[in-house]
Amino acid sequence: MSLSRWKAWLGAGLLATAQLSAGYALDLNSKESVEAITSTLSSLASNPPKLALKLTPEGLKKQLEDPNFIASLVTGVESLIDGLNTGRHRRRLAPNVAPLVPEDHRPSAALRKRLDVGGVEIPSFEEWFQIDIDDLGLNAVSTASSGSGKEAPPALSGLTLELIHRLNDLDTVASVHALQQGPPPAVNPNDDPRSGNQGYLNAAPQGINARYAWTITGGDGANVGVVDMEQGWNLNHEDLRAANITLISGRNKDYPDHGTAVLGQMLMIDNQIGGVGIIPKAKGRVISQSRPDGSYNTAATILDACNNMAIGEILLLEAQEFDPVGGQYYWPVSVADANHDAIRVCTGKGIVVVEAACNGGNDLDAYKNLAGKRIFNRAFPNEYRESGAIMVGASSSAVPHVRLGYSNHGSRVDVYGWGENIDTTFTNADGTANNLYTTGFSGTSGASPIIVGAAAAVQGIAQARLGHKLSPARVRTILTTSGTASGNPSSDRIGVLPNLKTIIDGGHIKA
């Protein structure tokens, strides 16, 4: 690849990422655009591209016998790619290889034994490694024209994707995917002046009927813990500060406007300013995929959250992933095998996981992974891969609710929430503005906190009535029971909008 082509490719990738962060198109001639691109470049520079690689049992044995085994696999494949792409001059240093998940984040042998049910083995994560690929001589992310005049989603570069595919073809490699940072996919309410804008709180069919749940002991989320996983927040916002939301681990640095909007939907304080969260009495915490050492690692973050959570608490995955097959962005995080395995550990431990279906407009039923398996299609039980998470699609705010065009969809999607016109807290790009609000938060990013709110209301009522919280499987079943169907269920394929009144009055919250 020529230097000029590489620069153009890198610039396109930076522009697309900066546009996603800003939420609007950027002009390369404007000061704001230059600042956004400079900020994105700084972020990418501090997070060099990496791969997550899982070895087979035979491969792990070889790595334990020879610590240079993985490095030799990677350099061998890179040399092959070099031979097929003449004119590339990449430095010949051996790639750095390290464990994907720190040992203190991994599930214990006792926990794995307890969770090993029905022959479904829970991974130890000893077989997972991370590999630096910044010696490839190109940015890991590129953009391409969609051919329709619309901006195409960011994607892994062709050479990075080729490296993933060729490594995956090796007998000693079980799975490979990129570790690449990307943007994430929001009581007495009468004295909260924005409460009237929060239609998602209202009775069905418009909303989930949180206002009814507030009249039931525990329906405001009391005694329930929720954790939001993404990359940044403004925890000092005027309508969040008193919630005393704390950071479990990681760096609070990227996309704070997004994280602040998500927290507001769930946890805005019942006071005399702003709005009110769906579960204002819940205990909120956050955890960042930007790890303390500056790396970007979703699987390790999920496991760290799991280790710091109690049975019955709720983990929200506000993130998207690059597909290892086609390299495109906007896929659920569980498309990556390490993330799927980490989610299984959490749900097996009794933690409710809510996962955004994400915003690629993809039919998840049609997706096949690198092994050719339809991992999201429940119609193929021998190929379908169950993590235990509740997956969330996005609908219109108007009734009848219909799937929004960008929402991923399919039989794997359990429930939906509003994906537009969401009123919640907001902040500026630096996360320093403490009194901003928005009426336009959107996407499966906005839909998923609504479902967390419904799940936490159920868990709060269960704790009050039964003296304990419910299992992840039971919560998922309850939320999909007697909900509001979308306008065109057969074509929308995003599940139902939970209805807390029918759930409560129908006696579904029971042991």
Side-chain angles (χ1 to χ4, degrees), residues 8-46:
W9 201 348
L10 175 59
L14 292 174
L15 178 59
T17 306
Q19 288 177 164
L20 286 164
S21 174
Y24 50 82
L26 296 177
D27 178 2
L28 284 171
N29 295 315
S30 73
K31 178 181 177 182
E32 292 78 8
S33 295
V34 172
E35 289 175 348
I37 292 174
T38 301
S39 174
T40 303
L41 177 59
S42 175
S43 176
L44 286 175
S46 64

PDB file of all heavy atoms in Angstrom, residues 8-46:
ATOM      1  N   ALA A   8      -4.765   8.477   3.144  1.00  0.00           N
ATOM      2  CA  ALA A   8      -6.175   8.702   2.799  1.00  0.00           C
ATOM      3  C   ALA A   8      -7.074   7.741   3.556  1.00  0.00           C
ATOM      4  O   ALA A   8      -8.152   8.107   4.050  1.00  0.00           O
ATOM      5  CB  ALA A   8      -6.365   8.532   1.288  1.00  0.00           C
ATOM      6  N   TRP A   9      -6.613   6.485   3.660  1.00  0.00           N
ATOM      7  CA  TRP A   9      -7.391   5.456   4.351  1.00  0.00           C
ATOM      8  C   TRP A   9      -7.524   5.813   5.830  1.00  0.00           C
ATOM      9  O   TRP A   9      -8.597   5.762   6.430  1.00  0.00           O
ATOM     10  CB  TRP A   9      -6.677   4.123   4.195  1.00  0.00           C
ATOM     11  CG  TRP A   9      -7.555   2.927   4.398  1.00  0.00           C
ATOM     12  CD1 TRP A   9      -8.808   2.876   4.914  1.00  0.00           C
ATOM     13  CD2 TRP A   9      -7.210   1.580   4.067  1.00  0.00           C
ATOM     14  NE1 TRP A   9      -9.265   1.591   4.931  1.00  0.00           N
ATOM     15  CE2 TRP A   9      -8.307   0.777   4.423  1.00  0.00           C
ATOM     16  CE3 TRP A   9      -6.085   0.973   3.517  1.00  0.00           C
ATOM     17  CZ2 TRP A   9      -8.306  -0.595   4.256  1.00  0.00           C
ATOM     18  CZ3 TRP A   9      -6.091  -0.398   3.342  1.00  0.00           C
ATOM     19  CH2 TRP A   9      -7.191  -1.177   3.705  1.00  0.00           C
ATOM     20  N   LEU A  10      -6.398   6.213   6.435  1.00  0.00           N
ATOM     21  CA  LEU A  10      -6.401   6.580   7.837  1.00  0.00           C
ATOM     22  C   LEU A  10      -7.303   7.791   8.066  1.00  0.00           C
ATOM     23  O   LEU A  10      -8.106   7.823   8.998  1.00  0.00           O
ATOM     24  CB  LEU A  10      -4.974   6.889   8.296  1.00  0.00           C
ATOM     25  CG  LEU A  10      -4.807   7.410   9.736  1.00  0.00           C
ATOM     26  CD1 LEU A  10      -5.347   6.389  10.713  1.00  0.00           C
ATOM     27  CD2 LEU A  10      -3.345   7.720  10.022  1.00  0.00           C
ATOM     28  N   GLY A  11      -7.191   8.793   7.194  1.00  0.00           N
ATOM     29  CA  GLY A  11      -8.011   9.991   7.349  1.00  0.00           C
ATOM     30  C   GLY A  11      -9.485   9.684   7.267  1.00  0.00           C
ATOM     31  O   GLY A  11     -10.298  10.214   8.030  1.00  0.00           O
ATOM     32  N   ALA A  12      -9.857   8.789   6.335  1.00  0.00           N
ATOM     33  CA  ALA A  12     -11.270   8.419   6.210  1.00  0.00           C
ATOM     34  C   ALA A  12     -11.753   7.734   7.478  1.00  0.00           C
ATOM     35  O   ALA A  12     -12.859   7.985   7.960  1.00  0.00           O
ATOM     36  CB  ALA A  12     -11.472   7.501   5.000  1.00  0.00           C
ATOM     37  N   GLY A  13     -10.921   6.839   8.030  1.00  0.00           N
ATOM     38  CA  GLY A  13     -11.299   6.140   9.258  1.00  0.00           C
ATOM     39  C   GLY A  13     -11.455   7.093  10.418  1.00  0.00           C
ATOM     40  O   GLY A  13     -12.397   7.010  11.208  1.00  0.00           O
ATOM     41  N   LEU A  14     -10.541   8.057  10.527  1.00  0.00           N
ATOM     42  CA  LEU A  14     -10.622   9.031  11.611  1.00  0.00           C
ATOM     43  C   LEU A  14     -11.855   9.901  11.469  1.00  0.00           C
ATOM     44  O   LEU A  14     -12.546  10.199  12.443  1.00  0.00           O
ATOM     45  CB  LEU A  14      -9.368   9.902  11.619  1.00  0.00           C
ATOM     46  CG  LEU A  14      -8.066   9.193  12.003  1.00  0.00           C
ATOM     47  CD1 LEU A  14      -6.898  10.153  11.818  1.00  0.00           C
ATOM     48  CD2 LEU A  14      -8.134   8.702  13.429  1.00  0.00           C
ATOM     49  N   LEU A  15     -12.153  10.322  10.239  1.00  0.00           N
ATOM     50  CA  LEU A  15     -13.314  11.173  10.020  1.00  0.00           C
ATOM     51  C   LEU A  15     -14.595  10.448  10.397  1.00  0.00           C
ATOM     52  O   LEU A  15     -15.458  10.994  11.077  1.00  0.00           O
ATOM     53  CB  LEU A  15     -13.379  11.611   8.554  1.00  0.00           C
ATOM     54  CG  LEU A  15     -14.586  12.485   8.165  1.00  0.00           C
ATOM     55  CD1 LEU A  15     -14.598  13.757   9.003  1.00  0.00           C
ATOM     56  CD2 LEU A  15     -14.562  12.806   6.689  1.00  0.00           C
ATOM     57  N   ALA A  16     -14.706   9.181   9.980  1.00  0.00           N
ATOM     58  CA  ALA A  16     -15.914   8.417  10.288  1.00  0.00           C
ATOM     59  C   ALA A  16     -16.075   8.255  11.791  1.00  0.00           C
ATOM     60  O   ALA A  16     -17.165   8.427  12.343  1.00  0.00           O
ATOM     61  CB  ALA A  16     -15.861   7.044   9.610  1.00  0.00           C
ATOM     62  N   THR A  17     -14.980   7.923  12.487  1.00  0.00           N
ATOM     63  CA  THR A  17     -15.058   7.736  13.931  1.00  0.00           C
ATOM     64  C   THR A  17     -15.395   9.035  14.636  1.00  0.00           C
ATOM     65  O   THR A  17     -16.195   9.079  15.565  1.00  0.00           O
ATOM     66  CB  THR A  17     -13.726   7.180  14.461  1.00  0.00           C
ATOM     67  OG1 THR A  17     -13.397   6.000  13.730  1.00  0.00           O
ATOM     68  CG2 THR A  17     -13.827   6.834  15.938  1.00  0.00           C
ATOM     69  N   ALA A  18     -14.795  10.136  14.168  1.00  0.00           N
ATOM     70  CA  ALA A  18     -15.091  11.439  14.772  1.00  0.00           C
ATOM     71  C   ALA A  18     -16.545  11.826  14.533  1.00  0.00           C
ATOM     72  O   ALA A  18     -17.211  12.376  15.404  1.00  0.00           O
ATOM     73  CB  ALA A  18     -14.159  12.501  14.201  1.00  0.00           C
ATOM     74  N   GLN A  19     -17.070  11.532  13.339  1.00  0.00           N
ATOM     75  CA  GLN A  19     -18.465  11.838  13.045  1.00  0.00           C
ATOM     76  C   GLN A  19     -19.388  11.051  13.955  1.00  0.00           C
ATOM     77  O   GLN A  19     -20.383  11.564  14.449  1.00  0.00           O
ATOM     78  CB  GLN A  19     -18.784  11.528  11.576  1.00  0.00           C
ATOM     79  CG  GLN A  19     -18.156  12.528  10.612  1.00  0.00           C
ATOM     80  CD  GLN A  19     -18.422  12.182   9.160  1.00  0.00           C
ATOM     81  OE1 GLN A  19     -18.251  13.013   8.314  1.00  0.00           O
ATOM     82  NE2 GLN A  19     -18.821  10.970   8.872  1.00  0.00           N
ATOM     83  N   LEU A  20     -19.046   9.777  14.211  1.00  0.00           N
ATOM     84  CA  LEU A  20     -19.871   8.962  15.084  1.00  0.00           C
ATOM     85  C   LEU A  20     -19.880   9.534  16.495  1.00  0.00           C
ATOM     86  O   LEU A  20     -20.893   9.555  17.173  1.00  0.00           O
ATOM     87  CB  LEU A  20     -19.340   7.522  15.106  1.00  0.00           C
ATOM     88  CG  LEU A  20     -19.638   6.717  13.847  1.00  0.00           C
ATOM     89  CD1 LEU A  20     -18.759   5.488  13.806  1.00  0.00           C
ATOM     90  CD2 LEU A  20     -21.098   6.328  13.800  1.00  0.00           C
ATOM     91  N   SER A  21     -18.709  10.011  16.927  1.00  0.00           N
ATOM     92  CA  SER A  21     -18.612  10.595  18.264  1.00  0.00           C
ATOM     93  C   SER A  21     -19.431  11.875  18.363  1.00  0.00           C
ATOM     94  O   SER A  21     -20.135  12.117  19.325  1.00  0.00           O
ATOM     95  CB  SER A  21     -17.152  10.878  18.600  1.00  0.00           C
ATOM     96  OG  SER A  21     -17.045  11.559  19.833  1.00  0.00           O
ATOM     97  N   ALA A  22     -19.322  12.713  17.343  1.00  0.00           N
ATOM     98  CA  ALA A  22     -20.007  13.999  17.388  1.00  0.00           C
ATOM     99  C   ALA A  22     -21.500  13.876  17.119  1.00  0.00           C
ATOM    100  O   ALA A  22     -22.286  14.690  17.574  1.00  0.00           O
ATOM    101  CB  ALA A  22     -19.385  14.946  16.367  1.00  0.00           C
ATOM    102  N   GLY A  23     -21.891  12.869  16.355  1.00  0.00           N
ATOM    103  CA  GLY A  23     -23.297  12.678  16.038  1.00  0.00           C
ATOM    104  C   GLY A  23     -23.762  13.484  14.852  1.00  0.00           C
ATOM    105  O   GLY A  23     -24.944  13.589  14.582  1.00  0.00           O
ATOM    106  N   TYR A  24     -22.842  14.093  14.106  1.00  0.00           N
ATOM    107  CA  TYR A  24     -23.227  14.863  12.926  1.00  0.00           C
ATOM    108  C   TYR A  24     -22.066  14.866  11.949  1.00  0.00           C
ATOM    109  O   TYR A  24     -20.933  14.513  12.293  1.00  0.00           O
ATOM    110  CB  TYR A  24     -23.601  16.298  13.298  1.00  0.00           C
ATOM    111  CG  TYR A  24     -22.580  17.001  14.157  1.00  0.00           C
ATOM    112  CD1 TYR A  24     -21.450  17.595  13.596  1.00  0.00           C
ATOM    113  CD2 TYR A  24     -22.724  17.040  15.540  1.00  0.00           C
ATOM    114  CE1 TYR A  24     -20.510  18.235  14.382  1.00  0.00           C
ATOM    115  CE2 TYR A  24     -21.774  17.672  16.331  1.00  0.00           C
ATOM    116  CZ  TYR A  24     -20.676  18.272  15.747  1.00  0.00           C
ATOM    117  OH  TYR A  24     -19.751  18.878  16.524  1.00  0.00           O
ATOM    118  N   ALA A  25     -22.349  15.251  10.701  1.00  0.00           N
ATOM    119  CA  ALA A  25     -21.305  15.250   9.684  1.00  0.00           C
ATOM    120  C   ALA A  25     -20.259  16.303   9.994  1.00  0.00           C
ATOM    121  O   ALA A  25     -20.558  17.375  10.503  1.00  0.00           O
ATOM    122  CB  ALA A  25     -21.926  15.513   8.316  1.00  0.00           C
ATOM    123  N   LEU A  26     -19.002  16.003   9.688  1.00  0.00           N
ATOM    124  CA  LEU A  26     -17.906  16.912   9.959  1.00  0.00           C
ATOM    125  C   LEU A  26     -17.331  17.481   8.672  1.00  0.00           C
ATOM    126  O   LEU A  26     -17.191  16.773   7.683  1.00  0.00           O
ATOM    127  CB  LEU A  26     -16.806  16.185  10.732  1.00  0.00           C
ATOM    128  CG  LEU A  26     -17.186  15.682  12.131  1.00  0.00           C
ATOM    129  CD1 LEU A  26     -16.023  14.915  12.728  1.00  0.00           C
ATOM    130  CD2 LEU A  26     -17.568  16.836  13.033  1.00  0.00           C
ATOM    131  N   ASP A  27     -16.985  18.746   8.723  1.00  0.00           N
ATOM    132  CA  ASP A  27     -16.376  19.442   7.592  1.00  0.00           C
ATOM    133  C   ASP A  27     -14.877  19.492   7.805  1.00  0.00           C
ATOM    134  O   ASP A  27     -14.396  20.049   8.790  1.00  0.00           O
ATOM    135  CB  ASP A  27     -16.963  20.857   7.506  1.00  0.00           C
ATOM    136  CG  ASP A  27     -16.348  21.676   6.367  1.00  0.00           C
ATOM    137  OD1 ASP A  27     -15.497  21.123   5.630  1.00  0.00           O
ATOM    138  OD2 ASP A  27     -16.731  22.844   6.229  1.00  0.00           O
ATOM    139  N   LEU A  28     -14.113  18.897   6.885  1.00  0.00           N
ATOM    140  CA  LEU A  28     -12.662  18.841   7.042  1.00  0.00           C
ATOM    141  C   LEU A  28     -12.025  20.234   7.068  1.00  0.00           C
ATOM    142  O   LEU A  28     -10.883  20.386   7.502  1.00  0.00           O
ATOM    143  CB  LEU A  28     -12.052  18.013   5.910  1.00  0.00           C
ATOM    144  CG  LEU A  28     -12.215  16.505   6.044  1.00  0.00           C
ATOM    145  CD1 LEU A  28     -11.766  15.823   4.767  1.00  0.00           C
ATOM    146  CD2 LEU A  28     -11.443  15.974   7.222  1.00  0.00           C
ATOM    147  N   ASN A  29     -12.739  21.252   6.604  1.00  0.00           N
ATOM    148  CA  ASN A  29     -12.184  22.594   6.589  1.00  0.00           C
ATOM    149  C   ASN A  29     -12.504  23.385   7.859  1.00  0.00           C
ATOM    150  O   ASN A  29     -12.045  24.504   8.032  1.00  0.00           O
ATOM    151  CB  ASN A  29     -12.726  23.379   5.379  1.00  0.00           C
ATOM    152  CG  ASN A  29     -12.247  22.756   4.074  1.00  0.00           C
ATOM    153  OD1 ASN A  29     -11.085  22.410   3.944  1.00  0.00           O
ATOM    154  ND2 ASN A  29     -13.164  22.616   3.133  1.00  0.00           N
ATOM    155  N   SER A  30     -13.306  22.793   8.758  1.00  0.00           N
ATOM    156  CA  SER A  30     -13.706  23.528   9.953  1.00  0.00           C
ATOM    157  C   SER A  30     -12.794  23.221  11.122  1.00  0.00           C
ATOM    158  O   SER A  30     -12.211  22.139  11.220  1.00  0.00           O
ATOM    159  CB  SER A  30     -15.147  23.186  10.348  1.00  0.00           C
ATOM    160  OG  SER A  30     -15.206  21.891  10.908  1.00  0.00           O
ATOM    161  N   LYS A  31     -12.670  24.187  12.038  1.00  0.00           N
ATOM    162  CA  LYS A  31     -11.859  24.012  13.235  1.00  0.00           C
ATOM    163  C   LYS A  31     -12.403  22.880  14.090  1.00  0.00           C
ATOM    164  O   LYS A  31     -11.644  22.071  14.637  1.00  0.00           O
ATOM    165  CB  LYS A  31     -11.842  25.317  14.035  1.00  0.00           C
ATOM    166  CG  LYS A  31     -11.058  25.224  15.338  1.00  0.00           C
ATOM    167  CD  LYS A  31     -11.108  26.544  16.100  1.00  0.00           C
ATOM    168  CE  LYS A  31     -10.389  26.419  17.436  1.00  0.00           C
ATOM    169  NZ  LYS A  31     -10.462  27.685  18.215  1.00  0.00           N
ATOM    170  N   GLU A  32     -13.758  22.799  14.209  1.00  0.00           N
ATOM    171  CA  GLU A  32     -14.361  21.759  15.036  1.00  0.00           C
ATOM    172  C   GLU A  32     -14.048  20.374  14.506  1.00  0.00           C
ATOM    173  O   GLU A  32     -13.786  19.432  15.265  1.00  0.00           O
ATOM    174  CB  GLU A  32     -15.885  21.959  15.113  1.00  0.00           C
ATOM    175  CG  GLU A  32     -16.321  23.202  15.887  1.00  0.00           C
ATOM    176  CD  GLU A  32     -16.178  24.475  15.079  1.00  0.00           C
ATOM    177  OE1 GLU A  32     -15.878  24.397  13.859  1.00  0.00           O
ATOM    178  OE2 GLU A  32     -16.368  25.563  15.665  1.00  0.00           O
ATOM    179  N   SER A  33     -14.055  20.218  13.181  1.00  0.00           N
ATOM    180  CA  SER A  33     -13.759  18.921  12.586  1.00  0.00           C
ATOM    181  C   SER A  33     -12.310  18.520  12.850  1.00  0.00           C
ATOM    182  O   SER A  33     -12.022  17.376  13.184  1.00  0.00           O
ATOM    183  CB  SER A  33     -14.018  18.954  11.075  1.00  0.00           C
ATOM    184  OG  SER A  33     -15.383  19.159  10.817  1.00  0.00           O
ATOM    185  N   VAL A  34     -11.410  19.476  12.696  1.00  0.00           N
ATOM    186  CA  VAL A  34      -9.999  19.188  12.939  1.00  0.00           C
ATOM    187  C   VAL A  34      -9.788  18.764  14.382  1.00  0.00           C
ATOM    188  O   VAL A  34      -9.056  17.815  14.679  1.00  0.00           O
ATOM    189  CB  VAL A  34      -9.128  20.411  12.588  1.00  0.00           C
ATOM    190  CG1 VAL A  34      -7.680  20.178  13.024  1.00  0.00           C
ATOM    191  CG2 VAL A  34      -9.189  20.703  11.105  1.00  0.00           C
ATOM    192  N   GLU A  35     -10.458  19.478  15.315  1.00  0.00           N
ATOM    193  CA  GLU A  35     -10.317  19.126  16.725  1.00  0.00           C
ATOM    194  C   GLU A  35     -10.879  17.741  17.002  1.00  0.00           C
ATOM    195  O   GLU A  35     -10.306  16.960  17.764  1.00  0.00           O
ATOM    196  CB  GLU A  35     -11.037  20.170  17.585  1.00  0.00           C
ATOM    197  CG  GLU A  35     -10.324  21.520  17.614  1.00  0.00           C
ATOM    198  CD  GLU A  35     -11.115  22.566  18.378  1.00  0.00           C
ATOM    199  OE1 GLU A  35     -12.300  22.306  18.682  1.00  0.00           O
ATOM    200  OE2 GLU A  35     -10.549  23.623  18.674  1.00  0.00           O
ATOM    201  N   ALA A  36     -12.020  17.401  16.360  1.00  0.00           N
ATOM    202  CA  ALA A  36     -12.617  16.082  16.569  1.00  0.00           C
ATOM    203  C   ALA A  36     -11.715  14.981  16.045  1.00  0.00           C
ATOM    204  O   ALA A  36     -11.524  13.942  16.684  1.00  0.00           O
ATOM    205  CB  ALA A  36     -13.992  16.008  15.879  1.00  0.00           C
ATOM    206  N   ILE A  37     -11.127  15.208  14.856  1.00  0.00           N
ATOM    207  CA  ILE A  37     -10.238  14.215  14.272  1.00  0.00           C
ATOM    208  C   ILE A  37      -8.966  14.088  15.112  1.00  0.00           C
ATOM    209  O   ILE A  37      -8.465  12.986  15.351  1.00  0.00           O
ATOM    210  CB  ILE A  37      -9.898  14.574  12.819  1.00  0.00           C
ATOM    211  CG1 ILE A  37     -11.159  14.439  11.948  1.00  0.00           C
ATOM    212  CG2 ILE A  37      -8.792  13.686  12.271  1.00  0.00           C
ATOM    213  CD1 ILE A  37     -10.971  14.900  10.529  1.00  0.00           C
ATOM    214  N   THR A  38      -8.442  15.218  15.591  1.00  0.00           N
ATOM    215  CA  THR A  38      -7.249  15.179  16.432  1.00  0.00           C
ATOM    216  C   THR A  38      -7.522  14.384  17.703  1.00  0.00           C
ATOM    217  O   THR A  38      -6.700  13.580  18.142  1.00  0.00           O
ATOM    218  CB  THR A  38      -6.805  16.607  16.793  1.00  0.00           C
ATOM    219  OG1 THR A  38      -6.527  17.322  15.598  1.00  0.00           O
ATOM    220  CG2 THR A  38      -5.562  16.585  17.672  1.00  0.00           C
ATOM    221  N   SER A  39      -8.718  14.592  18.292  1.00  0.00           N
ATOM    222  CA  SER A  39      -9.085  13.856  19.498  1.00  0.00           C
ATOM    223  C   SER A  39      -9.174  12.368  19.218  1.00  0.00           C
ATOM    224  O   SER A  39      -8.709  11.534  20.004  1.00  0.00           O
ATOM    225  CB  SER A  39     -10.426  14.370  20.031  1.00  0.00           C
ATOM    226  OG  SER A  39     -10.879  13.583  21.106  1.00  0.00           O
ATOM    227  N   THR A  40      -9.764  12.008  18.060  1.00  0.00           N
ATOM    228  CA  THR A  40      -9.884  10.598  17.700  1.00  0.00           C
ATOM    229  C   THR A  40      -8.517   9.987  17.448  1.00  0.00           C
ATOM    230  O   THR A  40      -8.243   8.852  17.846  1.00  0.00           O
ATOM    231  CB  THR A  40     -10.763  10.454  16.450  1.00  0.00           C
ATOM    232  OG1 THR A  40     -12.027  11.045  16.714  1.00  0.00           O
ATOM    233  CG2 THR A  40     -10.976   8.988  16.103  1.00  0.00           C
ATOM    234  N   LEU A  41      -7.630  10.732  16.778  1.00  0.00           N
ATOM    235  CA  LEU A  41      -6.279  10.244  16.524  1.00  0.00           C
ATOM    236  C   LEU A  41      -5.560   9.962  17.834  1.00  0.00           C
ATOM    237  O   LEU A  41      -4.887   8.938  17.981  1.00  0.00           O
ATOM    238  CB  LEU A  41      -5.495  11.277  15.713  1.00  0.00           C
ATOM    239  CG  LEU A  41      -4.017  10.958  15.419  1.00  0.00           C
ATOM    240  CD1 LEU A  41      -3.909   9.656  14.657  1.00  0.00           C
ATOM    241  CD2 LEU A  41      -3.364  12.095  14.666  1.00  0.00           C
ATOM    242  N   SER A  42      -5.716  10.856  18.811  1.00  0.00           N
ATOM    243  CA  SER A  42      -5.095  10.656  20.108  1.00  0.00           C
ATOM    244  C   SER A  42      -5.612   9.389  20.763  1.00  0.00           C
ATOM    245  O   SER A  42      -4.864   8.618  21.363  1.00  0.00           O
ATOM    246  CB  SER A  42      -5.374  11.863  21.010  1.00  0.00           C
ATOM    247  OG  SER A  42      -4.876  11.649  22.303  1.00  0.00           O
ATOM    248  N   SER A  43      -6.936   9.152  20.627  1.00  0.00           N
ATOM    249  CA  SER A  43      -7.539   7.955  21.214  1.00  0.00           C
ATOM    250  C   SER A  43      -6.994   6.696  20.566  1.00  0.00           C
ATOM    251  O   SER A  43      -6.650   5.725  21.235  1.00  0.00           O
ATOM    252  CB  SER A  43      -9.061   8.006  21.066  1.00  0.00           C
ATOM    253  OG  SER A  43      -9.653   6.834  21.546  1.00  0.00           O
ATOM    254  N   LEU A  44      -6.907   6.703  19.219  1.00  0.00           N
ATOM    255  CA  LEU A  44      -6.382   5.533  18.520  1.00  0.00           C
ATOM    256  C   LEU A  44      -4.917   5.314  18.837  1.00  0.00           C
ATOM    257  O   LEU A  44      -4.451   4.173  18.958  1.00  0.00           O
ATOM    258  CB  LEU A  44      -6.571   5.682  17.009  1.00  0.00           C
ATOM    259  CG  LEU A  44      -7.988   5.502  16.488  1.00  0.00           C
ATOM    260  CD1 LEU A  44      -8.043   5.808  15.002  1.00  0.00           C
ATOM    261  CD2 LEU A  44      -8.492   4.102  16.747  1.00  0.00           C
ATOM    262  N   ALA A  45      -4.164   6.386  18.988  1.00  0.00           N
ATOM    263  CA  ALA A  45      -2.744   6.256  19.288  1.00  0.00           C
ATOM    264  C   ALA A  45      -2.531   5.614  20.640  1.00  0.00           C
ATOM    265  O   ALA A  45      -1.571   4.870  20.845  1.00  0.00           O
ATOM    266  CB  ALA A  45      -2.076   7.626  19.243  1.00  0.00           C
ATOM    267  N   SER A  46      -3.428   5.906  21.608  1.00  0.00           N
ATOM    268  CA  SER A  46      -3.292   5.322  22.938  1.00  0.00           C
ATOM    269  C   SER A  46      -3.885   3.931  23.002  1.00  0.00           C
ATOM    270  O   SER A  46      -3.756   3.248  24.006  1.00  0.00           O
ATOM    271  CB  SER A  46      -3.981   6.231  23.967  1.00  0.00           C
ATOM    272  OG  SER A  46      -5.367   6.303  23.714  1.00  0.00           O
TER     273      SER A  46
END
